[in-house]
């Protein structure tokens, strides 16, 4: 475990209202069309923000859309947590969905895999699924309890957080799983992303820490200055650092690969930032209170 001082960021933060507060912007991703796509978890919709004029177009989908990612086929893929399906939408708005093999699995995390398929977690069923571009679904046991976020690692395996197992999991494309327990008690990890340093970085929402794990399983934890910050999602930024949302404090954080942390305050401490992604050279995060925030760091 490393210790450090946390600085207040001086970058530019802008917020854009994209829905009413009840719709719940949750996660977001840059699409192949250059637009910013985001889920509206409480409205049962996926929305597109035009990169030129900021106009928002809303597309109805299944209930509870959560995490969204660009797929290998030029479409956006997302999990439908409450309808227990995997959704797909093209940049033109054509929508389809696919049912996992396990009913009631609560799909949450999703990522484009190293094998040309899309992989997803079934958090309520302790399983990890795979769906091909033709809709063929396969499932494997997760290496621990409540698999949450999911990403492809630099080693060609799938890496996930095991929220209720206080661990990080690794799954090969043929279904072999390994769990790496975390040092922090009650870590409850959620977000995970591949870093620029060849390691995986993750958030510990229960312990108020950011974690790093090498592909060999070596773990380092960085405690945040606010133990109640509840870090949620994390992504690699265009600046060689990792960026994450602090759901409990209404801030966006940045951590270098050396462990130096900077925090950027949003307009409200109760803005509930969830997903975070790179778009148009800046960091964008979804605020469940109805806005998207854009953070551009001054050099």
């Amino acid at each position: 475990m490393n210790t450090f001082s946390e600085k207040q960021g001086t970058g530019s933060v802008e917020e854009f209202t994209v829905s009413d507060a009840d719709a719940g912007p949750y996660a977001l991703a840059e699409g192949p069309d250059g637009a910013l796509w985001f889920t509206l978890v409480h409205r049962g919709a996926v929305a597109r923000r035009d990169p030129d004029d900021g106009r928002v177009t809303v597309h109805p989908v299944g209930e509870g859309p959560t995490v969204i990612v660009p797929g290998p086929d030029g479409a956006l893929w997302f999990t439908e947590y409450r309808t227990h399906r995997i959704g797909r939408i093209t940049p033109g708005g054509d929508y389809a969905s696919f049912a996992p093999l396990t009913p009631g699995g609560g799909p949450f995390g999703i990522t484009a895999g190293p094998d040309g398929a899309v992989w997803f977690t079934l958090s309520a069923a302790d399983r990890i699924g795979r769906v091909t571009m033709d809709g063929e679904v396969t499932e494997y046991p997760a290496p621990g309890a409540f698999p949450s976020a999911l990403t492809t690692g630099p080693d060609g395996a799938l890496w996930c957080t095991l929220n209720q197992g206080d661990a990080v999991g690794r799954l090969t494309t043929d279904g072999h799983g390994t769990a790496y327990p975390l040092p922090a008690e009650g870590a409850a990890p959620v977000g995970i992303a591949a870093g620029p340093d060849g390691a995986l970085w993750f958030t510990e929402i229960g312990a108020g820490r950011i974690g790093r794990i090498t592909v060999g399983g070596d773990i380092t934890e960085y405690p945040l200055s606010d133990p109640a910050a509840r870090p949620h999602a994390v992504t690699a930024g265009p600046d060689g650092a990792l960026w994450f949302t602090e759901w409990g404090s209404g801030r966006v954080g940045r951590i270098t690969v050396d462990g130096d942390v900077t925090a950027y305050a949003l307009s409200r401490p109760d803005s509930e930032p969830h997903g975070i992604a790179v778009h148009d050279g800046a960091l964008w995060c979804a605020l469940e209170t109805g806005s998207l925030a854009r953070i551009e760091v001054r050099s």
Side-chain angles (χ1 to χ4, degrees):
M1 182 177 70
N2 290 18
T3 59
F4 53 87
S5 60
E6 186 173 297
K7 298 171 287 185
Q8 182 63 37
T10 59
S12 171
V13 180
E14 299 177 275
E15 294 182 18
F16 304 88
T17 300
V18 292
S19 72
D20 57 65
D22 294 333
Y26 190 87
L28 67 179
E30 184 172 274
D33 55 351
L36 188 60
W37 290 76
F38 55 97
T39 56
L40 295 171
V41 65
H42 301 309
R43 180 169 291 174
V46 168
R48 176 188 185 272
R49 185 179 187 273
D50 190 273
D52 297 321
D53 59 16
R55 182 171 57 92
V56 174
T57 305
V58 177
H59 302 275
V61 296
E63 291 184 14
T66 48
V67 182
I68 185 168
V69 295
D73 58 348
L76 284 301
W77 290 72
F78 52 94
T79 49
E80 297 180 357
Y81 188 79
R82 287 196 285 273
T83 53
H84 307 289
R85 298 181 70 89
I86 305 302
R88 176 186 182 272
I89 191 166
T90 68
D94 294 328
Y95 161 70
S97 68
F98 306 89
L101 302 179
T102 302
F108 180 79
I110 191 167
T111 190
D115 55 353
V118 169
W119 291 72
F120 56 92
T121 61
L122 292 171
S123 58
D126 295 345
R127 296 181 70 78
I128 294 176
R130 174 184 185 270
V131 57
T132 68
M133 301 304 94
D134 295 328
E136 181 182 349
V137 178
T138 310
E139 290 180 11
Y140 302 97
F146 208 86
S148 298
L150 183 72
T151 194
T152 296
D155 56 349
L158 288 304
W159 289 76
C160 67
T161 50
L162 300 169
N163 179 262
Q164 293 179 12
D166 288 337
V168 170
R170 178 183 185 270
L171 189 81
T172 63
T173 54
D174 60 359
H176 178 72
T178 306
Y180 299 92
L182 300 177
E185 184 178 353
V190 179
I192 190 167
D197 56 348
L200 289 302
W201 290 74
F202 55 93
T203 61
E204 297 183 5
I205 197 170
R209 302 180 184 190
I210 303 300
R212 175 185 185 271
I213 184 170
T214 68
V215 294
D218 295 326
I219 297 169
T220 308
E221 295 176 312
Y222 300 92
L224 301 176
S225 61
D226 179 6
R230 298 187 69 77
H232 185 269
V234 62
T235 193
D239 56 350
L242 286 302
W243 290 74
F244 56 94
T245 52
E246 296 183 7
W247 178 73
S249 64
R251 301 190 301 179
V252 171
R254 174 184 183 269
I255 184 168
T256 68
V257 294
D258 296 323
D260 293 327
V261 174
T262 308
Y264 297 83
L266 301 171
S267 62
R268 294 167 45 183
D270 62 347
S271 57
E272 299 187 35
H274 284 287
I276 189 165
V278 176
H279 172 58
D280 193 27
L283 277 299
W284 289 71
C285 66
L287 313 183
E288 199 168 342
T289 47
S291 301
L292 302 181
R294 180 182 186 274
I295 303 96
E296 182 174 359
V297 179
R298 300 190 184 105
S299 58

